[in-house]
Amino acid sequence: MPATPLDSALYRELFGDTEVGQLFTDTAEIRAMMLVEGALAKAQGQLGVIPETSAHAIHRAAMELQLDPASLSAQTGQNGVAVPGFVAAFRTEMNAPEHAQYLHWGATSQDIIDTGLALRLRQALSTLDARLATLLRRLGDMADQHAETPMVARTWGQAAVPTSFGAVVASWGAPLLRHRTRLAEVRKGVEFVTLSGAAGTLAAMDQGGDVRAAMARALDLADPGDSRHSTRDGQAALAGWITGVSNGLGKIGEDLIFLAATGIGEVRISGAGSSSTMPQKSNPIGPSALVALARLTTALNSAMQGAAIHANQRDGAAWFTEWLTLPQMILSVARGLATANEVAEGLIPMPDVMAANIAATNGAIFAEALTFELARTMPRPEAQAAVKAMVGEAGKGGLSLKDAASKSFANVDLETVFSATHQLGAAPEEARAFAKACLGLNVSN
């Protein structure tokens, strides 16, 4: 097993995500930092903080030069951050010391690293938003199609009352819809320029606030207007959001594992996996991956929330924890959303099996409905006791609950009481309301 299956060649089709993963490579990090240094120099040149000719040279070099991440490894290990080695290599490769001396003017390592991360998070979160919108549209269509498809609702693993498959799908999607609404605010907390200098004061940079604003415009990021070096509430909120989405996907996976199980069989999962020794097996691989990824992000979230306790004006240990944790969380939820879309697209509900499983309860699933029907003409405690006795009688005598009820309550409309389609309650309405909320979802920028 590799140290991280998230970017493993062997496990990449199970846990990996090529599209989002390419944003969290060494090359992507170096490229993002070069863009930040170029934007910083350009802003400073425009404001006269550094010579404009040097600003142009640095900005051009940032667009053209390529640095080998491996060549920076030794210095990164020594310094704890990549920026000192990166800046030294950048200056060398510019081969123009008269201009290179103005590179990284008045900035600190965290300014470059955090702003570079913001650029990559913007792309990653746009991708997550698009995948989430696609998943919600698929779930909305399914909820609408099966709004009145009866199935067994289960509590504590036991048959409870009838519900509809559409309502179950809506229960999967509704939290995800709420999380998507929250994403815009979460993005504001991480998609901004960091430019605060050595300890958050910008003391070494003339017109520091104006430079930060100009950088923000150039990079199409927000200007926070203050130092965020040691205030990590935005990163913590992002980690919490990722965990919430992952847990929503894990709920879908957990339910599908159960619904596809032998003896239940209320759904079929296209592309299910095979066993190395048992030809009959059709394993719920996608749903199982959703559960595993949700558990992973939940565990990683604990580390991210702890890292929000960021001591003084910069905390190396807390910052390192973010580096070790946040990329894994983003890749995990990205893979989860891709997998959930694949599963939803190929999911096959089995209405006939759902109906058969309702019938297999021998009418007991309608016990609550019978209780409240009898409570129209007698006190509810008496009605509940009578139904409980009839359930016991049916279980011993091989009768259905409906047969047992017909002996003593022939005047009750048992056809309606024991009709799954008549006992769905608010389930169809909830399914359709969710479906309507998913219509026309747009991807935010």
mmCIF file of all heavy atoms in Angstrom, residues 19-36 82 112-128 187 190-192 219 221 238 319 322-323 326-327 330-331:
data_model
loop_
_atom_site.group_PDB
_atom_site.id
_atom_site.type_symbol
_atom_site.label_atom_id
_atom_site.label_comp_id
_atom_site.label_asym_id
_atom_site.label_seq_id
_atom_site.Cartn_x
_atom_site.Cartn_y
_atom_site.Cartn_z
ATOM 1 N N GLU A 19 -7.877 15.517 -12.382
ATOM 2 C CA GLU A 19 -8.173 16.922 -12.653
ATOM 3 C C GLU A 19 -7.827 17.820 -11.476
ATOM 4 O O GLU A 19 -7.161 18.855 -11.635
ATOM 5 C CB GLU A 19 -9.655 17.083 -13.008
ATOM 6 C CG GLU A 19 -10.039 18.515 -13.351
ATOM 7 C CD GLU A 19 -11.512 18.668 -13.692
ATOM 8 O OE1 GLU A 19 -12.264 17.670 -13.610
ATOM 9 O OE2 GLU A 19 -11.922 19.797 -14.038
ATOM 10 N N VAL A 20 -8.271 17.466 -10.295
ATOM 11 C CA VAL A 20 -7.977 18.284 -9.118
ATOM 12 C C VAL A 20 -6.568 17.993 -8.605
ATOM 13 O O VAL A 20 -5.886 18.895 -8.110
ATOM 14 C CB VAL A 20 -9.031 18.045 -8.020
ATOM 15 C CG1 VAL A 20 -8.696 18.822 -6.757
ATOM 16 C CG2 VAL A 20 -10.414 18.456 -8.523
ATOM 17 N N GLY A 21 -6.130 16.749 -8.752
ATOM 18 C CA GLY A 21 -4.809 16.376 -8.269
ATOM 19 C C GLY A 21 -3.687 17.163 -8.911
ATOM 20 O O GLY A 21 -2.656 17.433 -8.277
ATOM 21 N N GLN A 22 -3.862 17.568 -10.176
ATOM 22 C CA GLN A 22 -2.803 18.307 -10.852
ATOM 23 C C GLN A 22 -2.589 19.696 -10.256
ATOM 24 O O GLN A 22 -1.558 20.331 -10.493
ATOM 25 C CB GLN A 22 -3.118 18.423 -12.339
ATOM 26 C CG GLN A 22 -4.320 19.287 -12.671
ATOM 27 C CD GLN A 22 -4.639 19.295 -14.160
ATOM 28 O OE1 GLN A 22 -3.893 18.738 -14.958
ATOM 29 N NE2 GLN A 22 -5.744 19.926 -14.539
ATOM 30 N N LEU A 23 -3.552 20.162 -9.466
ATOM 31 C CA LEU A 23 -3.399 21.444 -8.782
ATOM 32 C C LEU A 23 -2.568 21.334 -7.516
ATOM 33 O O LEU A 23 -2.184 22.351 -6.927
ATOM 34 C CB LEU A 23 -4.774 22.019 -8.427
ATOM 35 C CG LEU A 23 -5.699 22.330 -9.599
ATOM 36 C CD1 LEU A 23 -7.097 22.691 -9.092
ATOM 37 C CD2 LEU A 23 -5.125 23.464 -10.437
ATOM 38 N N PHE A 24 -2.302 20.113 -7.085
ATOM 39 C CA PHE A 24 -1.581 19.899 -5.827
ATOM 40 C C PHE A 24 -0.333 19.051 -6.060
ATOM 41 O O PHE A 24 -0.063 18.102 -5.337
ATOM 42 C CB PHE A 24 -2.524 19.283 -4.783
ATOM 43 C CG PHE A 24 -3.617 20.214 -4.384
ATOM 44 C CD1 PHE A 24 -4.832 20.209 -5.055
ATOM 45 C CD2 PHE A 24 -3.426 21.150 -3.384
ATOM 46 C CE1 PHE A 24 -5.843 21.097 -4.722
ATOM 47 C CE2 PHE A 24 -4.425 22.054 -3.046
ATOM 48 C CZ PHE A 24 -5.630 22.027 -3.715
ATOM 49 N N THR A 25 0.410 19.429 -7.080
ATOM 50 C CA THR A 25 1.707 18.838 -7.363
ATOM 51 C C THR A 25 2.794 19.865 -7.040
ATOM 52 O O THR A 25 2.513 21.062 -6.878
ATOM 53 C CB THR A 25 1.824 18.434 -8.838
ATOM 54 O OG1 THR A 25 1.742 19.629 -9.647
ATOM 55 C CG2 THR A 25 0.717 17.460 -9.246
ATOM 56 N N ASP A 26 4.039 19.403 -6.960
ATOM 57 C CA ASP A 26 5.150 20.334 -6.738
ATOM 58 C C ASP A 26 5.221 21.377 -7.848
ATOM 59 O O ASP A 26 5.432 22.566 -7.596
ATOM 60 C CB ASP A 26 6.469 19.556 -6.690
ATOM 61 C CG ASP A 26 6.560 18.627 -5.494
ATOM 62 O OD1 ASP A 26 5.894 18.897 -4.475
ATOM 63 O OD2 ASP A 26 7.286 17.621 -5.580
ATOM 64 N N THR A 27 5.032 20.918 -9.092
ATOM 65 C CA THR A 27 5.100 21.842 -10.223
ATOM 66 C C THR A 27 4.014 22.907 -10.142
ATOM 67 O O THR A 27 4.261 24.092 -10.403
ATOM 68 C CB THR A 27 4.967 21.062 -11.542
ATOM 69 O OG1 THR A 27 6.039 20.114 -11.627
ATOM 70 C CG2 THR A 27 5.022 21.991 -12.737
ATOM 71 N N ALA A 28 2.802 22.483 -9.767
ATOM 72 C CA ALA A 28 1.701 23.442 -9.654
ATOM 73 C C ALA A 28 1.977 24.460 -8.561
ATOM 74 O O ALA A 28 1.652 25.650 -8.709
ATOM 75 C CB ALA A 28 0.396 22.705 -9.374
ATOM 76 N N GLU A 29 2.578 24.027 -7.457
ATOM 77 C CA GLU A 29 2.874 24.964 -6.376
ATOM 78 C C GLU A 29 3.919 25.982 -6.808
ATOM 79 O O GLU A 29 3.776 27.186 -6.567
ATOM 80 C CB GLU A 29 3.344 24.209 -5.136
ATOM 81 C CG GLU A 29 3.620 25.133 -3.964
ATOM 82 C CD GLU A 29 3.676 24.430 -2.625
ATOM 83 O OE1 GLU A 29 3.603 23.181 -2.607
ATOM 84 O OE2 GLU A 29 3.783 25.123 -1.605
ATOM 85 N N ILE A 30 4.989 25.514 -7.475
ATOM 86 C CA ILE A 30 6.024 26.436 -7.947
ATOM 87 C C ILE A 30 5.440 27.422 -8.960
ATOM 88 O O ILE A 30 5.706 28.630 -8.911
ATOM 89 C CB ILE A 30 7.186 25.649 -8.576
ATOM 90 C CG1 ILE A 30 7.887 24.789 -7.510
ATOM 91 C CG2 ILE A 30 8.180 26.606 -9.231
ATOM 92 C CD1 ILE A 30 8.524 25.573 -6.393
ATOM 93 N N ARG A 31 4.635 26.920 -9.891
ATOM 94 C CA ARG A 31 4.029 27.797 -10.893
ATOM 95 C C ARG A 31 3.145 28.858 -10.242
ATOM 96 O O ARG A 31 3.177 30.036 -10.616
ATOM 97 C CB ARG A 31 3.225 26.946 -11.878
ATOM 98 C CG ARG A 31 2.357 27.670 -12.890
ATOM 99 C CD ARG A 31 3.040 28.798 -13.634
ATOM 100 N NE ARG A 31 4.329 28.453 -14.193
ATOM 101 C CZ ARG A 31 5.227 29.346 -14.599
ATOM 102 N NH1 ARG A 31 4.953 30.639 -14.499
ATOM 103 N NH2 ARG A 31 6.396 28.964 -15.088
ATOM 104 N N ALA A 32 2.356 28.458 -9.249
ATOM 105 C CA ALA A 32 1.494 29.419 -8.558
ATOM 106 C C ALA A 32 2.318 30.478 -7.842
ATOM 107 O O ALA A 32 1.997 31.673 -7.882
ATOM 108 C CB ALA A 32 0.582 28.687 -7.573
ATOM 109 N N MET A 33 3.418 30.074 -7.193
ATOM 110 C CA MET A 33 4.256 31.051 -6.495
ATOM 111 C C MET A 33 4.919 32.009 -7.475
ATOM 112 O O MET A 33 5.099 33.201 -7.179
ATOM 113 C CB MET A 33 5.298 30.326 -5.643
ATOM 114 C CG MET A 33 4.707 29.589 -4.443
ATOM 115 S SD MET A 33 5.927 29.129 -3.187
ATOM 116 C CE MET A 33 6.986 28.010 -4.109
ATOM 117 N N MET A 34 5.279 31.526 -8.660
ATOM 118 C CA MET A 34 5.858 32.413 -9.665
ATOM 119 C C MET A 34 4.840 33.448 -10.129
ATOM 120 O O MET A 34 5.167 34.624 -10.310
ATOM 121 C CB MET A 34 6.391 31.592 -10.843
ATOM 122 C CG MET A 34 7.578 30.716 -10.469
ATOM 123 S SD MET A 34 8.310 29.858 -11.866
ATOM 124 C CE MET A 34 9.267 31.184 -12.601
ATOM 125 N N LEU A 35 3.605 33.011 -10.320
ATOM 126 C CA LEU A 35 2.549 33.963 -10.689
ATOM 127 C C LEU A 35 2.362 35.031 -9.619
ATOM 128 O O LEU A 35 2.150 36.207 -9.926
ATOM 129 C CB LEU A 35 1.230 33.217 -10.917
ATOM 130 C CG LEU A 35 1.167 32.293 -12.145
ATOM 131 C CD1 LEU A 35 -0.158 31.535 -12.156
ATOM 132 C CD2 LEU A 35 1.344 33.081 -13.429
ATOM 133 N N VAL A 36 2.449 34.626 -8.368
ATOM 134 C CA VAL A 36 2.288 35.579 -7.264
ATOM 135 C C VAL A 36 3.443 36.572 -7.242
ATOM 136 O O VAL A 36 3.241 37.793 -7.099
ATOM 137 C CB VAL A 36 2.181 34.826 -5.922
ATOM 138 C CG1 VAL A 36 2.165 35.819 -4.756
ATOM 139 C CG2 VAL A 36 0.929 33.963 -5.892
ATOM 140 N N ALA A 82 9.600 26.558 1.176
ATOM 141 C CA ALA A 82 10.265 26.487 -0.120
ATOM 142 C C ALA A 82 10.710 27.845 -0.638
ATOM 143 O O ALA A 82 11.543 27.922 -1.550
ATOM 144 C CB ALA A 82 9.317 25.842 -1.143
ATOM 145 N N ILE A 112 3.657 34.510 -0.154
ATOM 146 C CA ILE A 112 3.747 33.855 -1.457
ATOM 147 C C ILE A 112 3.068 32.495 -1.427
ATOM 148 O O ILE A 112 2.304 32.141 -2.345
ATOM 149 C CB ILE A 112 5.226 33.702 -1.873
ATOM 150 C CG1 ILE A 112 5.953 35.044 -1.774
ATOM 151 C CG2 ILE A 112 5.324 33.109 -3.264
ATOM 152 C CD1 ILE A 112 5.280 36.179 -2.539
ATOM 153 N N ILE A 113 3.293 31.729 -0.375
ATOM 154 C CA ILE A 113 2.723 30.379 -0.291
ATOM 155 C C ILE A 113 1.205 30.441 -0.171
ATOM 156 O O ILE A 113 0.473 29.739 -0.880
ATOM 157 C CB ILE A 113 3.337 29.616 0.892
ATOM 158 C CG1 ILE A 113 4.812 29.318 0.601
ATOM 159 C CG2 ILE A 113 2.581 28.312 1.151
ATOM 160 C CD1 ILE A 113 5.568 28.728 1.777
ATOM 161 N N ASP A 114 0.713 31.283 0.737
ATOM 162 C CA ASP A 114 -0.739 31.336 0.948
ATOM 163 C C ASP A 114 -1.475 31.903 -0.263
ATOM 164 O O ASP A 114 -2.574 31.447 -0.604
ATOM 165 C CB ASP A 114 -1.061 32.168 2.193
ATOM 166 C CG ASP A 114 -0.920 31.367 3.484
ATOM 167 O OD1 ASP A 114 -0.527 30.187 3.404
ATOM 168 O OD2 ASP A 114 -1.206 31.923 4.561
ATOM 169 N N THR A 115 -0.892 32.907 -0.920
ATOM 170 C CA THR A 115 -1.552 33.450 -2.107
ATOM 171 C C THR A 115 -1.517 32.442 -3.249
ATOM 172 O O THR A 115 -2.495 32.292 -3.991
ATOM 173 C CB THR A 115 -0.902 34.779 -2.534
ATOM 174 O OG1 THR A 115 -0.904 35.685 -1.430
ATOM 175 C CG2 THR A 115 -1.668 35.401 -3.700
ATOM 176 N N GLY A 116 -0.392 31.731 -3.382
ATOM 177 C CA GLY A 116 -0.332 30.668 -4.390
ATOM 178 C C GLY A 116 -1.364 29.587 -4.129
ATOM 179 O O GLY A 116 -1.990 29.070 -5.070
ATOM 180 N N LEU A 117 -1.566 29.255 -2.858
ATOM 181 C CA LEU A 117 -2.587 28.271 -2.513
ATOM 182 C C LEU A 117 -3.980 28.798 -2.862
ATOM 183 O O LEU A 117 -4.828 28.052 -3.361
ATOM 184 C CB LEU A 117 -2.513 27.928 -1.028
ATOM 185 C CG LEU A 117 -3.583 26.967 -0.500
ATOM 186 C CD1 LEU A 117 -3.511 25.626 -1.200
ATOM 187 C CD2 LEU A 117 -3.452 26.795 1.016
ATOM 188 N N ALA A 118 -4.215 30.083 -2.627
ATOM 189 C CA ALA A 118 -5.526 30.667 -2.943
ATOM 190 C C ALA A 118 -5.836 30.533 -4.430
ATOM 191 O O ALA A 118 -6.985 30.253 -4.811
ATOM 192 C CB ALA A 118 -5.561 32.136 -2.522
ATOM 193 N N LEU A 119 -4.832 30.721 -5.285
ATOM 194 C CA LEU A 119 -5.044 30.560 -6.722
ATOM 195 C C LEU A 119 -5.468 29.136 -7.060
ATOM 196 O O LEU A 119 -6.368 28.920 -7.881
ATOM 197 C CB LEU A 119 -3.760 30.906 -7.484
ATOM 198 C CG LEU A 119 -3.340 32.378 -7.480
ATOM 199 C CD1 LEU A 119 -1.974 32.527 -8.141
ATOM 200 C CD2 LEU A 119 -4.368 33.239 -8.195
ATOM 201 N N ARG A 120 -4.837 28.173 -6.410
ATOM 202 C CA ARG A 120 -5.149 26.776 -6.706
ATOM 203 C C ARG A 120 -6.479 26.355 -6.079
ATOM 204 O O ARG A 120 -7.238 25.583 -6.664
ATOM 205 C CB ARG A 120 -4.009 25.872 -6.227
ATOM 206 C CG ARG A 120 -2.730 26.092 -7.052
ATOM 207 C CD ARG A 120 -1.584 25.226 -6.601
ATOM 208 N NE ARG A 120 -1.062 25.630 -5.314
ATOM 209 C CZ ARG A 120 -0.634 24.784 -4.378
ATOM 210 N NH1 ARG A 120 -0.699 23.477 -4.565
ATOM 211 N NH2 ARG A 120 -0.142 25.232 -3.244
ATOM 212 N N LEU A 121 -6.773 26.902 -4.900
ATOM 213 C CA LEU A 121 -8.065 26.604 -4.283
ATOM 214 C C LEU A 121 -9.210 27.132 -5.124
ATOM 215 O O LEU A 121 -10.267 26.495 -5.219
ATOM 216 C CB LEU A 121 -8.131 27.205 -2.876
ATOM 217 C CG LEU A 121 -7.321 26.498 -1.785
ATOM 218 C CD1 LEU A 121 -7.415 27.270 -0.471
ATOM 219 C CD2 LEU A 121 -7.787 25.057 -1.590
ATOM 220 N N ARG A 122 -9.009 28.293 -5.738
ATOM 221 C CA ARG A 122 -10.065 28.845 -6.589
ATOM 222 C C ARG A 122 -10.428 27.879 -7.704
ATOM 223 O O ARG A 122 -11.601 27.643 -7.990
ATOM 224 C CB ARG A 122 -9.617 30.188 -7.172
ATOM 225 C CG ARG A 122 -10.669 30.860 -8.051
ATOM 226 C CD ARG A 122 -10.194 32.216 -8.525
ATOM 227 N NE ARG A 122 -8.999 32.108 -9.354
ATOM 228 C CZ ARG A 122 -8.198 33.138 -9.630
ATOM 229 N NH1 ARG A 122 -8.454 34.337 -9.127
ATOM 230 N NH2 ARG A 122 -7.147 32.976 -10.402
ATOM 231 N N GLN A 123 -9.430 27.302 -8.340
ATOM 232 C CA GLN A 123 -9.689 26.343 -9.410
ATOM 233 C C GLN A 123 -10.321 25.073 -8.860
ATOM 234 O O GLN A 123 -11.280 24.539 -9.429
ATOM 235 C CB GLN A 123 -8.390 25.997 -10.136
ATOM 236 C CG GLN A 123 -7.804 27.126 -10.948
ATOM 237 C CD GLN A 123 -6.492 26.724 -11.606
ATOM 238 O OE1 GLN A 123 -5.413 27.066 -11.147
ATOM 239 N NE2 GLN A 123 -6.591 25.975 -12.687
ATOM 240 N N ALA A 124 -9.781 24.582 -7.747
ATOM 241 C CA ALA A 124 -10.289 23.333 -7.174
ATOM 242 C C ALA A 124 -11.742 23.482 -6.744
ATOM 243 O O ALA A 124 -12.580 22.600 -7.007
ATOM 244 C CB ALA A 124 -9.421 22.909 -5.990
ATOM 245 N N LEU A 125 -12.066 24.583 -6.083
ATOM 246 C CA LEU A 125 -13.420 24.759 -5.576
ATOM 247 C C LEU A 125 -14.415 24.990 -6.707
ATOM 248 O O LEU A 125 -15.587 24.627 -6.588
ATOM 249 C CB LEU A 125 -13.458 25.903 -4.565
ATOM 250 C CG LEU A 125 -12.685 25.619 -3.261
ATOM 251 C CD1 LEU A 125 -12.690 26.834 -2.348
ATOM 252 C CD2 LEU A 125 -13.229 24.401 -2.537
ATOM 253 N N SER A 126 -13.971 25.587 -7.804
ATOM 254 C CA SER A 126 -14.846 25.708 -8.972
ATOM 255 C C SER A 126 -15.193 24.331 -9.520
ATOM 256 O O SER A 126 -16.337 24.067 -9.905
ATOM 257 C CB SER A 126 -14.173 26.556 -10.056
ATOM 258 O OG SER A 126 -14.069 27.907 -9.644
ATOM 259 N N THR A 127 -14.205 23.442 -9.548
ATOM 260 C CA THR A 127 -14.446 22.074 -10.009
ATOM 261 C C THR A 127 -15.387 21.338 -9.068
ATOM 262 O O THR A 127 -16.330 20.658 -9.510
ATOM 263 C CB THR A 127 -13.113 21.301 -10.124
ATOM 264 O OG1 THR A 127 -12.271 21.957 -11.079
ATOM 265 C CG2 THR A 127 -13.346 19.866 -10.575
ATOM 266 N N LEU A 128 -15.183 21.485 -7.763
ATOM 267 C CA LEU A 128 -16.067 20.832 -6.793
ATOM 268 C C LEU A 128 -17.491 21.356 -6.933
ATOM 269 O O LEU A 128 -18.456 20.589 -6.855
ATOM 270 C CB LEU A 128 -15.566 21.068 -5.365
ATOM 271 C CG LEU A 128 -14.183 20.511 -5.007
ATOM 272 C CD1 LEU A 128 -13.910 20.730 -3.523
ATOM 273 C CD2 LEU A 128 -14.056 19.039 -5.359
ATOM 274 N N ARG A 187 -15.780 30.120 0.178
ATOM 275 C CA ARG A 187 -14.763 30.552 -0.782
ATOM 276 C C ARG A 187 -14.213 31.936 -0.441
ATOM 277 O O ARG A 187 -13.021 32.211 -0.612
ATOM 278 C CB ARG A 187 -15.329 30.530 -2.204
ATOM 279 C CG ARG A 187 -15.704 29.140 -2.683
ATOM 280 C CD ARG A 187 -16.188 29.115 -4.110
ATOM 281 N NE ARG A 187 -15.086 29.350 -5.045
ATOM 282 C CZ ARG A 187 -15.156 29.113 -6.348
ATOM 283 N NH1 ARG A 187 -16.291 28.659 -6.879
ATOM 284 N NH2 ARG A 187 -14.126 29.338 -7.125
ATOM 285 N N VAL A 190 -11.108 31.915 1.799
ATOM 286 C CA VAL A 190 -9.795 31.387 1.388
ATOM 287 C C VAL A 190 -9.284 31.960 0.076
ATOM 288 O O VAL A 190 -8.093 31.851 -0.226
ATOM 289 C CB VAL A 190 -9.824 29.845 1.283
ATOM 290 C CG1 VAL A 190 -10.002 29.210 2.655
ATOM 291 C CG2 VAL A 190 -10.892 29.359 0.308
ATOM 292 N N GLU A 191 -10.139 32.579 -0.709
ATOM 293 C CA GLU A 191 -9.722 33.065 -2.022
ATOM 294 C C GLU A 191 -9.367 34.550 -1.951
ATOM 295 O O GLU A 191 -10.085 35.414 -2.460
ATOM 296 C CB GLU A 191 -10.813 32.793 -3.064
ATOM 297 C CG GLU A 191 -11.035 31.308 -3.311
ATOM 298 C CD GLU A 191 -12.123 31.041 -4.343
ATOM 299 O OE1 GLU A 191 -12.534 31.977 -5.050
ATOM 300 O OE2 GLU A 191 -12.566 29.880 -4.435
ATOM 301 N N PHE A 192 -8.267 34.838 -1.271
ATOM 302 C CA PHE A 192 -7.833 36.229 -1.136
ATOM 303 C C PHE A 192 -6.306 36.306 -1.188
ATOM 304 O O PHE A 192 -5.601 35.308 -1.002
ATOM 305 C CB PHE A 192 -8.345 36.844 0.171
ATOM 306 C CG PHE A 192 -7.957 36.090 1.406
ATOM 307 C CD1 PHE A 192 -6.691 36.223 1.970
ATOM 308 C CD2 PHE A 192 -8.872 35.245 2.028
ATOM 309 C CE1 PHE A 192 -6.340 35.523 3.113
ATOM 310 C CE2 PHE A 192 -8.526 34.530 3.178
ATOM 311 C CZ PHE A 192 -7.251 34.681 3.718
ATOM 312 N N LEU A 219 -4.604 39.302 -9.796
ATOM 313 C CA LEU A 219 -4.783 37.857 -9.636
ATOM 314 C C LEU A 219 -6.255 37.455 -9.559
ATOM 315 O O LEU A 219 -6.563 36.265 -9.445
ATOM 316 C CB LEU A 219 -4.055 37.375 -8.381
ATOM 317 C CG LEU A 219 -2.530 37.507 -8.400
ATOM 318 C CD1 LEU A 219 -1.943 37.189 -7.022
ATOM 319 C CD2 LEU A 219 -1.909 36.594 -9.458
ATOM 320 N N LEU A 221 -8.285 37.931 -7.131
ATOM 321 C CA LEU A 221 -8.569 37.446 -5.785
ATOM 322 C C LEU A 221 -9.064 38.620 -4.950
ATOM 323 O O LEU A 221 -8.945 39.776 -5.354
ATOM 324 C CB LEU A 221 -7.308 36.843 -5.150
ATOM 325 C CG LEU A 221 -6.762 35.558 -5.772
ATOM 326 C CD1 LEU A 221 -5.398 35.218 -5.166
ATOM 327 C CD2 LEU A 221 -7.728 34.394 -5.574
ATOM 328 N N LEU A 238 -13.296 25.944 5.552
ATOM 329 C CA LEU A 238 -13.205 25.128 4.341
ATOM 330 C C LEU A 238 -13.109 23.645 4.700
ATOM 331 O O LEU A 238 -13.795 22.810 4.103
ATOM 332 C CB LEU A 238 -11.990 25.541 3.510
ATOM 333 C CG LEU A 238 -11.675 24.660 2.294
ATOM 334 C CD1 LEU A 238 -12.865 24.592 1.333
ATOM 335 C CD2 LEU A 238 -10.420 25.172 1.584
ATOM 336 N N TRP A 319 1.076 25.585 10.683
ATOM 337 C CA TRP A 319 1.121 25.760 9.231
ATOM 338 C C TRP A 319 1.477 24.454 8.534
ATOM 339 O O TRP A 319 0.856 24.063 7.554
ATOM 340 C CB TRP A 319 2.143 26.853 8.920
ATOM 341 C CG TRP A 319 1.943 27.564 7.617
ATOM 342 C CD1 TRP A 319 0.802 27.646 6.880
ATOM 343 C CD2 TRP A 319 2.934 28.308 6.915
ATOM 344 N NE1 TRP A 319 1.023 28.396 5.743
ATOM 345 C CE2 TRP A 319 2.322 28.822 5.744
ATOM 346 C CE3 TRP A 319 4.275 28.612 7.156
ATOM 347 C CZ2 TRP A 319 3.017 29.609 4.823
ATOM 348 C CZ3 TRP A 319 4.954 29.398 6.240
ATOM 349 C CH2 TRP A 319 4.337 29.889 5.084
ATOM 350 N N GLU A 322 -1.458 22.170 8.267
ATOM 351 C CA GLU A 322 -2.323 22.492 7.133
ATOM 352 C C GLU A 322 -1.802 21.871 5.842
ATOM 353 O O GLU A 322 -2.569 21.318 5.046
ATOM 354 C CB GLU A 322 -2.420 24.009 6.953
ATOM 355 C CG GLU A 322 -3.235 24.722 8.004
ATOM 356 C CD GLU A 322 -3.328 26.215 7.708
ATOM 357 O OE1 GLU A 322 -3.048 26.620 6.559
ATOM 358 O OE2 GLU A 322 -3.694 26.978 8.627
ATOM 359 N N TRP A 323 -0.492 21.984 5.616
ATOM 360 C CA TRP A 323 0.096 21.445 4.382
ATOM 361 C C TRP A 323 -0.110 19.935 4.289
ATOM 362 O O TRP A 323 -0.343 19.393 3.201
ATOM 363 C CB TRP A 323 1.589 21.729 4.323
ATOM 364 C CG TRP A 323 1.981 23.164 4.382
ATOM 365 C CD1 TRP A 323 1.159 24.254 4.391
ATOM 366 C CD2 TRP A 323 3.317 23.668 4.464
ATOM 367 N NE1 TRP A 323 1.909 25.407 4.466
ATOM 368 C CE2 TRP A 323 3.226 25.087 4.517
ATOM 369 C CE3 TRP A 323 4.571 23.086 4.515
ATOM 370 C CZ2 TRP A 323 4.360 25.903 4.596
ATOM 371 C CZ3 TRP A 323 5.693 23.886 4.583
ATOM 372 C CH2 TRP A 323 5.584 25.283 4.633
ATOM 373 N N LEU A 326 -4.810 19.646 4.366
ATOM 374 C CA LEU A 326 -5.811 20.237 3.488
ATOM 375 C C LEU A 326 -5.796 19.658 2.071
ATOM 376 O O LEU A 326 -6.869 19.361 1.520
ATOM 377 C CB LEU A 326 -5.659 21.756 3.456
ATOM 378 C CG LEU A 326 -6.752 22.527 2.701
ATOM 379 C CD1 LEU A 326 -8.141 22.215 3.280
ATOM 380 C CD2 LEU A 326 -6.483 24.025 2.746
ATOM 381 N N PRO A 327 -4.634 19.471 1.434
ATOM 382 C CA PRO A 327 -4.662 18.872 0.096
ATOM 383 C C PRO A 327 -5.305 17.497 0.065
ATOM 384 O O PRO A 327 -6.062 17.174 -0.863
ATOM 385 C CB PRO A 327 -3.174 18.805 -0.290
ATOM 386 C CG PRO A 327 -2.539 19.910 0.492
ATOM 387 C CD PRO A 327 -3.266 19.905 1.803
ATOM 388 N N ILE A 330 -9.073 17.961 0.124
ATOM 389 C CA ILE A 330 -9.623 18.426 -1.145
ATOM 390 C C ILE A 330 -9.649 17.297 -2.167
ATOM 391 O O ILE A 330 -10.649 17.097 -2.876
ATOM 392 C CB ILE A 330 -8.807 19.628 -1.660
ATOM 393 C CG1 ILE A 330 -9.022 20.822 -0.734
ATOM 394 C CG2 ILE A 330 -9.215 19.978 -3.097
ATOM 395 C CD1 ILE A 330 -8.083 21.970 -0.974
ATOM 396 N N LEU A 331 -8.569 16.525 -2.241
ATOM 397 C CA LEU A 331 -8.538 15.413 -3.184
ATOM 398 C C LEU A 331 -9.565 14.348 -2.812
ATOM 399 O O LEU A 331 -10.184 13.734 -3.692
ATOM 400 C CB LEU A 331 -7.137 14.802 -3.232
ATOM 401 C CG LEU A 331 -6.055 15.670 -3.872
ATOM 402 C CD1 LEU A 331 -4.719 14.941 -3.863
ATOM 403 C CD2 LEU A 331 -6.422 16.054 -5.290
#
